[in-house]
Amino acid sequence: LSAKYKSEEKDKQITVQKLDIERQTNALKKNNILFIAFLVILVLIVAFLANRLMLNRKLRRAHELQKQQTELIKAQKDEIEHYAEELKSTYEQLQKLDKHKQAMTNMIVHDLKSPIIVLADIDMFGSEAEKRPVIKAISSQMMNLVLNMLDVSKAEEGEMRLSKTEINLFELVNRVIED
């Protein structure tokens, strides 16, 4: 009986040890599964953080590029506004010059009309001797007008060269009055 009891006792101990080993094996399996799950989660977190870091870098680069483009566009806008102001100023100057040109044309037409009227009525003067000085004076006056028109044309094209000369103002005024 004692041998049977010892054998049963040993069987119980073996069964308990087997259960213990099985529990330990199950605990190790659980721990392995938890460890693998932890590693997978850790790898996912590292991958997420790496991806987030790359996205942040790309976002920073995109913001820098956007800032540079915005500055470039602003500079181009300022340049266009500057050119627009220059064009506006040039247009206003051209309008003033056009008005001046119209005034000059009107004055020249008026100055040419007077001698032509005298020539048209040249028959009022009696003899050829009386007509000759009138025709000569009118021709001279018309020639001066044509030369003045050419001078204005040269001045507009920037080809006119001016030079200083001394004149007697009294004689000039008398000549103009006589003409």
Side-chain angles (χ1 to χ4, degrees):
L1 223 35
S2 151
K4 193 174 179 188
Y5 178 72
K6 283 185 185 178
S7 155
E8 282 181 15
E9 196 64 38
K10 263 191 176 183
D11 283 343
K12 274 186 183 182
Q13 282 179 353
I14 290 174
T15 307
V16 169
Q17 284 177 351
K18 279 183 182 179
L19 285 174
D20 246 3
I21 290 173
E22 196 175 307
R23 253 187 271 131
Q24 286 176 356
T25 305
N26 285 340
L28 281 174
K29 284 180 183 178
K30 266 186 187 178
N31 284 342
N32 280 344
I33 290 171
L34 287 174
F35 182 71
I36 290 171
F38 174 75
L39 284 178
V40 167
I41 290 172
L42 185 64
V43 166
L44 288 174
I45 289 173
V46 168
F48 174 77
L49 291 175
N51 187 24
R52 183 71 179 159
L53 183 64
M54 286 188 333
L55 287 175
N56 281 342
R57 285 182 184 164
K58 286 181 180 179
L59 188 60
R60 254 187 268 126
R61 280 190 222 132
H63 283 296
E64 289 172 8
L65 184 61
Q66 181 184 20
K67 185 178 177 182
Q68 289 172 350
Q69 292 295 329
T70 302
E71 289 172 0
L72 178 64
I73 290 170
K74 185 181 181 304
Q76 290 174 342
K77 179 185 171 236
D78 292 343
E79 186 178 357
I80 289 170
E81 286 174 353
H82 174 72
Y83 287 139
E85 288 174 17
E86 283 183 7
L87 282 173
K88 183 179 178 182
S89 174
T90 302
Y91 177 73
E92 289 170 358
Q93 288 176 347
L94 285 173
Q95 283 182 325
K96 286 178 185 177
L97 286 173
D98 188 50
K99 285 179 184 178
H100 179 69
K101 183 179 174 184
Q102 288 294 334
M104 289 291 290
T105 302
N106 290 340
M107 182 182 72
I108 290 170
V109 167
H110 177 72
D111 287 347
L112 280 173
K113 184 176 81 170
S114 298
I116 291 173
I117 289 173
V118 172
L119 282 176
D121 292 336
I122 196 75
D123 291 335
M124 284 184 358
F125 299 97
S127 68
E128 286 293 318
E130 289 177 348
K131 291 179 185 177
R132 187 165 293 157
V134 172
I135 292 173
K136 187 172 183 179
I138 290 172
S139 298
S140 175
Q141 187 179 6
M142 290 177 79
M143 179 59 85
N144 283 337
L145 285 172
V146 170
L147 291 175
N148 287 341
M149 287 178 6
L150 290 173
D151 287 344
V152 168
S153 176
K154 284 181 184 178
E156 285 178 346
E157 294 174 7
E159 295 177 2
M160 179 178 251
R161 292 198 175 113
L162 300 176
S163 60
K164 293 181 180 180
T165 57
E166 288 189 25
I167 60 166
N168 185 336
L169 188 59
F170 184 71
E171 288 179 14
L172 179 65
V173 171
N174 281 334
R175 253 194 330 213
V176 169
I177 291 172
E178 287 175 10
D179 286 345

